Amino acid sequence: MSNIKKLEDLTTQVRRDILRMVHKVNSGHPGGSLGCAEFFVCLYNEIMETKDGFDMDGIGEDLFFLSNGHISPVYYSVLARAGYFPVEELNTFRLINSRLQGHPTTHEGLPGVRIASGSLGQGMSVAIGAAQTKKLNNDSHLIYSLHGDGELQEGQNWEAIMYAAGNNVDNLIATVDLNGQQIDGSTDNVLPMGNLRAKFEAFGWLVVDIDNGNNIEAIIKGMAEAKGLTGAGKPVCVLLKTVMGNGVDFMMHTHAWHGKAPNDEQLEIGLAQNPETLGDY
């Protein structure tokens, strides 16, 4: 079996995990999680250089920070499937006293999670701080982060984006999930973002486009290109074009499933479109 096929099978299983987690508690954010499933699978199984085990210092390995923390279902599934904590713990998603809360938090010491996120607009600042720390420690590893396109409407991002370029933070790869949707509608209707490539370049960043952000091979190729641009004196932005709700036909191309759980019938339809590959939790 090719490595691409293994990653595709893992992605299908992750989609099943997302649907089942959100359905069980009738709460959560399936749309953005499904849209980023391929990205997370590639990041943790192909792209990042990580050590065995987990510690908060993260010395000698690449680090990842999720800024748009509401897509926690995909984050938890991929972390569990990568061995950070038992897959069976996905059963506890959003339950009282669970480590798997609606937004990721470090309070319960969940392996793989380095910051509490979900207050939108803050992840860029944290990622930049971690990248500068790597430099101070003479650690050549990279910082990766993920941000929503609607999240970029938060002003703190742009102060941080300006800061990163002004301070030559060139060991950072910040990915923007460009699905064109946010909680209240399309980003174009809520607050048009304009030409994000031009904006980032005007702020002094290097930019890579991944036009098919739901294709495993395209993601691997695009992220390799981004990695090749690091160390050149400028931070790197990846514009990842995805489809919200990807892999479940009735959830795709709409903001309606940003934060809504499927009912019993909808769950069965979604699972039928994503046959079990690695075993359900």
Side-chain angles (χ1 to χ4, degrees):
M1 183 184 297
S2 71
N3 193 49
I4 297 297
K5 180 61 164 59
K6 290 179 180 178
L7 294 174
E8 289 173 344
D9 285 349
L10 176 54
T11 300
T12 300
Q13 190 64 50
V14 166
R15 283 198 289 263
R16 288 181 65 88
D17 291 347
I18 293 166
L19 292 168
R20 295 178 67 233
M21 278 190 283
V22 173
H23 168 265
K24 180 180 178 182
V25 292
N26 193 31
S27 178
H29 296 79
S33 293
L34 290 166
C36 285
E38 291 86 356
F39 174 77
F40 272 88
V41 165
C42 289
L43 191 69
Y44 276 90
N45 295 277
E46 188 72 23
I47 296 164
M48 287 202 304
E49 297 177 7
T50 58
K51 301 182 298 187
D52 291 335
F54 176 77
D55 63 74
M56 288 296 283
D57 289 335
I59 296 172
E61 62 180 333
D62 296 339
L63 306 182
F64 171 72
F65 296 95
L66 174 64
S67 188
N68 50 330
H70 56 277
I71 64 169
S72 61
V74 65
Y75 195 19
Y76 294 150
S77 172
V78 170
L79 286 175
R81 298 282 174 183
Y84 282 85
F85 55 86
V87 174
E88 293 74 20
E89 193 168 349
L90 297 178
N91 271 307
T92 71
F93 177 65
R94 282 190 172 232
L95 297 181
I96 294 175
N97 296 324
S98 168
R99 297 195 296 179
L100 308 186
Q101 288 302 304
H103 292 103
T105 174
T106 57
H107 179 68
E108 300 295 343
L110 184 64
V113 176
R114 299 185 180 279
I115 61 167
S117 60
S119 296
L120 297 179
Q122 299 179 3
M124 183 72 74
S125 299
V126 175
I128 291 167
Q132 290 191 300
T133 301
K134 287 283 188 191
K135 285 178 173 287
L136 290 171
N137 288 337
N138 294 313
D139 185 339
S140 62
H141 286 82
L142 300 175
I143 301 298
Y144 294 86
S145 61
L146 180 65
H147 314 265
D149 48 2
E151 182 185 6
L152 293 185
Q153 295 161 356
E154 298 278 359
Q156 180 177 337
N157 289 294
W158 297 99
E159 181 178 351
I161 290 165
M162 178 171 58
Y163 176 93
N167 288 274
N168 306 115
V169 183
D170 59 359
N171 56 339
L172 168 66
I173 299 176
T175 298
V176 179
D177 176 20
L178 281 178
N179 60 32
Q181 307 291 335
Q182 59 188 102
I183 189 170
D184 291 323
S186 73
T187 52
D188 283 344
N189 288 334
V190 176
L191 180 61
M193 298 303 299
N195 187 331
L196 283 179
R197 167 180 273 275
K199 282 182 168 65
F200 272 93
E201 288 179 340
F203 274 72
W205 286 53
L206 301 172
V207 180
V208 172
D209 287 292
I210 300 180
D211 290 330
N212 189 349
N214 295 114
N215 178 274
I216 298 288
E217 293 181 89
I219 293 169
I220 293 173
K221 180 180 178 182
M223 295 304 287
E225 180 184 348
K227 186 174 181 178
L229 293 175
T230 59
K234 295 184 177 184
V236 179
C237 170
V238 174
L239 298 178
L240 182 77
K241 297 180 178 64
T242 68
V243 175
M244 179 171 271
N246 188 61
V248 180
D249 58 9
F250 61 87
M251 292 186 176
M252 294 171 68
H253 304 289
T254 174
H255 74 285
W257 294 92
H258 171 90
K260 183 176 73 172
N263 60 31
D264 292 350
E265 180 182 358
Q266 291 165 335
L267 174 67
E268 292 306 314
I269 294 171
L271 293 179
Q273 295 174 16
N274 293 277
E276 189 175 353
T277 56
L278 304 182
D280 288 335
Y281 60 84

